Amino acid sequence: MKKTTIHDIARELNITFSTVAKALNDHPRIAAATKEAVREMAIKLNYQQNKLASSLRSGRTGIVGVLVPTLDVSFFSSVVHGIETVMNENGYNILLYQSKEIYEDEIRGVDTFLQTRVEGIISSVALSTKNYDHFIDLKKRKIPLLMFDRTVDEIGVPYVRIDDYGGGFMATEHLIKQGCKRIVHISTDQQVEIFKERLRGYKEALLKYGLPIDESLIFYGNLSIELGKNCIKKLVDEKVDFDGVFAFEDYTGLGALKELKDLKINVPEQVKVIAFANEAFGAHITPSMSTVDQQTVKMGEEAARLFLKLIKENKYYENAPEQIILDPILIQRESSQ
Amino acid sequence: MKKTTIHDIARELNITFSTVAKALNDHPRIAAATKEAVREMAIKLNYQQNKLASSLRSGRTGIVGVLVPTLDVSFFSSVVHGIETVMNENGYNILLYQSKEIYEDEIRGVDTFLQTRVEGIISSVALSTKNYDHFIDLKKRKIPLLMFDRTVDEIGVPYVRIDDYGGGFMATEHLIKQGCKRIVHISTDQQVEIFKERLRGYKEALLKYGLPIDESLIFYGNLSIELGKNCIKKLVDEKVDFDGVFAFEDYTGLGALKELKDLKINVPEQVKVIAFANEAFGAHITPSMSTVDQQTVKMGEEAARLFLKLIKENKYYENAPEQIILDPILIQRESSQ
């Protein structure tokens, strides 16, 4: 069956295409009787108004793009739920795109969203991204952009994240209070603000409790279970003394736990472990893993609320970018006490 | 800075709007010199061609919508990775929408995708969906729709899933071979084909090995950790004898495992447990959980390949819907042996 177009309605009613279009868009210059006739004919001919074409005219699609590294980890999927809830309540729909931590895919994501005319983008940067022009460009083009969690100062847009410095401090202080004196920190590339902050919190906690900062206990690598395993292997191979591990995120922490288990080093008796992010698996593994919770759902909700507030004010980039910083929450489980 | 439009280019060059538009779209009636002038002016004025408007004309957006119940569970996120890989390799981008297992949200997802003019939709139905008109409507409107995993016969479109009957048979047979004689099956609503098939596999395996089908050992509920816990509680409260549990999916299996642990019933010594889906957590819990793997990445890749083949042939709904059925794979872990 051929799709009914606006031209078919015009032909049937013997009026112009433009009159039909105006009538369908409730234009004030069109008589009520004409509007009625057009609407009836539209129903009769089973005409489906092209919402996209209308949105092109109105400039409003009601769609917000959410561009995240991955939805495989509960941190991101749970933030997305928070965003979704608030957006849906406010009549917006969200579409998702995964960058898979790949810079080129992040750019494709931005392009795809622009193509679908989203009203703005909420994002967290991919770990492999070192150039932020695709984000800065959105700002130049006045397309609302809000970042969450993995923010980059250089982009200079509103953002929501937790106090990662406080979280790093809290995790390290917890291990110190449990008796640890030689605490390893496994971290990653320092370009992303939050990881730098967690490391800073780790160092400040050591200083506060009079413990030395030993660079041989600090590791940098790519977020993965393997990273955690390899760090433990290296420490044990090189006979480095340690009694605590603070991993910058849970998958790396899981790797550390697994390797300690394989090497028959008892957790928490010989080595205590804490990580960061409160991924869903942490409560189910043995020993269950201590971590720092990032209030993910709240982070998503706050991100959506701030975004909506700013687009409503219609001067998204006019003031200094607003920031919302949430409190980290210490989750104590078997691996650290 | 005001955005440059096609009108600005027309004004600068003192030619019509329509000539500029045609030149930008490489229309054969426009002279090469004009095209060149338009292109140069477009660059000079920093004009960004509206890809969406072009796609409205060409009818091609290169975007495929993937509508899934949730991305929180590794089953779906992993199928999505398979779809993504093949789509990206073929120059398509995918956008994601989560129905959160809610019927109304599934409809919103379909609408949002139509609004963004996706070239088709790949989906798996929400558990709460009992009316499939929004899917059937896509078919009527000749918009390519492909289902995976949770398929519904009534929709009648191409699909990819595993042999769920075979998977149910395999899981039950495994428990029988490990010595179980009184095997519980925890299932859910039977409207979705795959769960009905798993139950059928369970019953056929019992019959094949001469074990009775005891309806008091079969439960139906909503997919959740709670469902697994409650079934075990009920069995123990009512002093029903059982030595094996086959849960229709992993979260329900996890609930059963947790409740057995809480009640100090040893797994696998007293009760053996197997579930279905091979979620990521299953290998990390204690005892690690046996399950049936659904070849998720392959399922996604096959879904994408079938979809692309069918849209390329340009007669998506002309033949009987093609089906691809993959083999389930038994994953034996501590909970069942």
Side-chain angles (χ1 to χ4, degrees), chain A residues 7-18:
Chain A
H7 295 285
D8 299 321
I9 301 173
R11 196 169 40 242
E12 286 294 322
L13 293 173
N14 200 21
I15 55 178
T16 67
F17 164 83
S18 147

Side-chain angles (χ1 to χ4, degrees), chain B residues 20-307:
Chain B
V20 176
K22 283 179 185 151
L24 287 171
N25 286 307
D26 208 21
H27 194 287
R29 294 251 188 93
I30 304 296
T34 311
K35 284 181 191 167
E36 190 54 29
V38 167
R39 267 176 222 139
E40 273 174 16
M41 188 54 72
I43 292 162
K44 194 178 152 199
L45 298 178
N46 190 27
Y47 169 75
Q48 307 265 6
Q49 191 162 10
N50 186 333
K51 277 196 198 170
L52 188 77
S54 331
S55 77
L56 265 177
R57 286 187 291 273
S58 73
R60 281 216 58 222
T61 56
I63 301 171
V64 173
V66 177
L67 173 58
V68 290
T70 171
L71 291 155
D72 289 6
V73 304
S74 43
F75 171 74
F76 286 112
S77 61
S78 157
V79 173
V80 165
H81 280 303
I83 297 175
E84 225 159 30
T85 306
V86 172
M87 285 297 180
N88 291 349
E89 280 169 6
N90 286 276
Y92 284 81
N93 281 307
I94 70 162
L95 285 174
L96 303 166
Y97 196 99
Q98 303 185 83
S99 67
K100 289 159 275 173
E101 302 284 14
I102 300 167
Y103 168 63
E104 289 76 13
D105 281 312
E106 193 169 80
I107 294 177
R108 285 170 75 137
V110 169
D111 283 345
T112 305
F113 281 142
L114 290 180
Q115 195 185 342
T116 56
R117 285 179 62 98
V118 294
E119 294 191 30
I121 294 175
I122 297 180
S123 185
S124 197
V125 300
L127 287 178
S128 69
T129 300
K130 310 288 170 216
N131 176 310
Y132 307 102
D133 286 348
H134 49 301
F135 287 126
I136 294 166
D137 198 47
L138 287 173
K139 197 181 158 183
K140 282 190 191 150
R141 294 171 64 180
K142 308 272 187 228
I143 293 162
L145 170 67
L146 186 137
M147 309 296 290
F148 70 89
D149 189 49
R150 297 192 196 155
T151 62
V152 177
D153 287 348
E154 185 188 333
I155 305 175
V157 296
Y159 67 73
V160 180
R161 61 174 176 86
I162 60 155
D163 172 7
D164 287 276
Y165 163 78
F169 189 95
M170 180 183 271
T172 312
E173 183 177 50
H174 167 67
L175 293 181
I176 297 169
K177 288 191 172 165
Q178 297 294 315
C180 298
K181 303 230 175 296
R182 300 263 309 152
I183 300 168
V184 172
H185 181 47
I186 313 178
S187 186
T188 189
D189 193 324
Q190 299 293 296
Q191 198 159 4
V192 175
E193 197 64 23
I194 59 171
F195 304 134
K196 201 158 67 185
E197 287 291 285
R198 291 177 198 174
L199 173 63
R200 193 167 69 86
Y202 159 82
K203 288 183 174 172
E204 285 295 320
L206 294 180
L207 288 176
K208 183 183 165 190
Y209 288 89
L211 295 171
I213 292 167
D214 180 347
E215 292 293 338
S216 70
L217 296 180
I218 305 176
F219 294 82
Y220 304 93
N222 291 323
L223 189 161
S224 61
I225 294 178
E226 278 314 301
L227 172 61
K229 286 190 169 191
N230 292 338
C231 290
I232 299 299
K233 240 179 254 162
K234 196 157 183 284
L235 287 162
V236 172
D237 280 356
E238 296 177 359
K239 300 191 175 27
V240 178
D241 186 35
F242 69 103
D243 55 11
V245 176
F246 163 37
F248 80 113
E249 63 78 45
D250 282 349
Y251 286 90
T252 307
L254 175 63
L257 267 188
K258 277 177 176 278
E259 190 62 28
L260 289 164
K261 224 172 167 178
D262 286 354
L263 296 170
K264 314 268 182 244
I265 297 172
N266 287 329
V267 177
E269 295 78 2
Q270 292 170 272
V271 174
K272 299 189 194 336
V273 177
I274 188 165
F276 211 106
N278 200 14
E279 284 293 312
F281 67 81
H284 304 309
I285 58 176
T286 308
S288 57
M289 189 168 68
S290 297
T291 190
V292 177
D293 183 82
Q294 303 186 77
Q295 303 207 57
T296 46
V297 175
K298 193 176 177 193
M299 188 184 288
E301 290 170 350
E302 292 291 334
R305 278 190 208 111
L306 177 57
F307 181 89

Side-chain angles (χ1 to χ4, degrees), chain A residues 136-149:
Chain A
I136 294 167
D137 198 47
L138 288 172
K139 198 181 159 184
K140 283 191 189 149
R141 293 172 65 181
K142 308 270 187 227
I143 293 162
L145 170 67
L146 186 137
M147 309 295 292
F148 71 90
D149 189 51

Side-chain angles (χ1 to χ4, degrees), chain A residues 77-139:
Chain A
S77 60
S78 156
V79 173
V80 165
H81 280 303
I83 297 174
E84 224 159 31
T85 305
V86 172
M87 285 298 180
N88 291 349
E89 279 168 9
N90 286 277
Y92 284 81
N93 281 307
I94 70 164
L95 286 174
L96 303 165
Y97 196 100
Q98 304 185 83
S99 68
K100 289 160 273 171
E101 303 283 14
I102 300 167
Y103 167 64
E104 290 75 15
D105 281 312
E106 194 170 78
I107 294 176
R108 285 170 75 137
V110 169
D111 283 346
T112 306
F113 282 142
L114 289 179
Q115 194 186 341
T116 57
R117 284 180 62 100
V118 293
E119 294 192 29
I121 295 176
I122 297 179
S123 185
S124 197
V125 300
L127 287 178
S128 69
T129 301
K130 309 289 170 217
N131 176 310
Y132 306 102
D133 286 348
H134 50 300
F135 287 126
I136 294 167
D137 198 47
L138 288 172
K139 198 181 159 184

Side-chain angles (χ1 to χ4, degrees), chain A residues 9-247:
Chain A
I9 301 173
R11 196 169 40 242
E12 286 294 322
L13 293 173
N14 200 21
I15 55 178
T16 67
F17 164 83
S18 147
T19 305
V20 176
K22 283 179 186 152
L24 286 170
N25 286 308
D26 208 19
H27 194 288
R29 295 248 188 95
I30 304 295
T34 311
K35 284 180 190 167
E36 191 52 32
V38 167
R39 268 176 219 137
E40 273 175 16
M41 188 55 72
I43 292 163
K44 192 177 153 198
L45 297 179
N46 189 27
Y47 169 73
Q48 307 266 3
Q49 191 164 8
N50 186 334
K51 278 196 197 171
L52 187 78
S54 333
S55 76
L56 267 176
R57 286 187 292 272
S58 73
R60 278 217 58 222
T61 56
I63 301 170
V64 173
V66 177
L67 173 58
V68 291
T70 170
L71 291 155
D72 289 5
V73 304
S74 44
F75 170 75
F76 286 111
S77 60
S78 156
V79 173
V80 165
H81 280 303
I83 297 174
E84 224 159 31
T85 305
V86 172
M87 285 298 180
N88 291 349
E89 279 168 9
N90 286 277
Y92 284 81
N93 281 307
I94 70 164
L95 286 174
L96 303 165
Y97 196 100
Q98 304 185 83
S99 68
K100 289 160 273 171
E101 303 283 14
I102 300 167
Y103 167 64
E104 290 75 15
D105 281 312
E106 194 170 78
I107 294 176
R108 285 170 75 137
V110 169
D111 283 346
T112 306
F113 282 142
L114 289 179
Q115 194 186 341
T116 57
R117 284 180 62 100
V118 293
E119 294 192 29
I121 295 176
I122 297 179
S123 185
S124 197
V125 300
L127 287 178
S128 69
T129 301
K130 309 289 170 217
N131 176 310
Y132 306 102
D133 286 348
H134 50 300
F135 287 126
I136 294 167
D137 198 47
L138 288 172
K139 198 181 159 184
K140 283 191 189 149
R141 293 172 65 181
K142 308 270 187 227
I143 293 162
L145 170 67
L146 186 137
M147 309 295 292
F148 71 90
D149 189 51
R150 296 191 197 157
T151 62
V152 177
D153 288 349
E154 185 189 335
I155 305 175
V157 295
Y159 67 74
V160 180
R161 60 175 175 86
I162 60 155
D163 172 9
D164 288 276
Y165 164 78
F169 189 96
M170 180 183 270
T172 312
E173 185 178 48
H174 168 67
L175 292 181
I176 297 170
K177 287 190 173 167
Q178 297 295 313
C180 298
K181 302 227 174 301
R182 301 264 308 152
I183 300 168
V184 171
H185 181 46
I186 312 178
S187 186
T188 190
D189 193 324
Q190 297 294 295
Q191 198 159 3
V192 176
E193 198 63 22
I194 60 172
F195 304 133
K196 202 158 67 185
E197 286 291 285
R198 291 178 197 173
L199 172 63
R200 194 166 69 85
Y202 159 81
K203 288 182 175 173
E204 285 295 320
L206 295 180
L207 288 175
K208 183 183 166 190
Y209 288 89
L211 295 172
I213 291 166
D214 179 349
E215 292 293 339
S216 71
L217 295 181
I218 305 175
F219 294 82
Y220 304 93
N222 290 323
L223 190 162
S224 62
I225 294 178
E226 278 312 301
L227 171 62
K229 286 190 168 189
N230 291 340
C231 291
I232 299 298
K233 238 178 255 163
K234 197 158 182 285
L235 287 162
V236 172
D237 281 354
E238 296 177 0
K239 300 191 174 31
V240 177
D241 186 34
F242 70 102
D243 55 10
V245 176
F246 163 36

